[in-house]
Amino acid sequence: MAAPHDTNRPAPAVNTPATHAPAALMERLADELGSRVSKTIVYGEPVTAEGITVIPVAEVGIGFGFGGGAGRKAGAAMNGEGGGGGGVMARPRGFIEIKDGTAVYKPLRNPWVDVAIPIAALLAGTAVPLLARRLTKHRLG
């Protein structure tokens, strides 16, 4: 699965001790995932129309993991079972608008924020006076 431009990367040693195999596998996995992430994932292809250029922007996350089981002794070497995997996640966050030689970043808003903040303010405005009255009655009573 190595890309053509990865030919200068040193190959992992074949006789890697069992204690170093998980670290070597995780390093190799991170290298593979990192080589697959390009700037076009974070910054999409520019789109130009009517003198305005828009460049999509995304948040990118890379994750990977590795797990192994107990090994069986075969001669002098330990043969273990395990596996690893990883992935890349991208989420749209906004866009860069280039117009008349000026670039402006415009974030995408979460529509739930526009709803949640007014509802929270309404609930707080209703609940705080009621709680204050109950506390006052409880202390005086």
Side-chain angles (χ1 to χ4, degrees), residues 35-124:
S35 69
R36 299 199 189 304
V37 176
S38 69
K39 66 180 179 194
T40 58
I41 291 176
V42 177
Y43 300 104
E45 293 295 325
V47 177
T48 303
E50 299 179 17
I52 300 173
T53 301
V54 175
I55 304 170
V57 178
E59 173 185 2
V60 178
I62 300 173
F64 58 93
F66 173 78
R72 297 180 300 270
K73 190 161 185 147
M78 294 290 286
N79 294 330
E81 297 177 2
V88 177
M89 181 270 319
R91 203 173 13 215
R93 287 298 183 200
F95 58 94
I96 300 170
E97 180 183 83
I98 304 171
K99 182 179 178 182
D100 299 327
T102 303
V104 177
Y105 174 72
K106 297 187 176 185
L108 295 176
R109 292 194 52 153
N110 185 345
W112 286 106
V113 172
D114 294 337
V115 173
I117 291 175
I119 289 175
L122 179 67
L123 289 174

Side-chain angles (χ1 to χ4, degrees), residues 10-29:
V14 175
N15 59 356
T16 304
T19 57
H20 297 295
L25 180 60
M26 287 182 69
E27 184 176 330
R28 174 102 172 126
L29 187 58

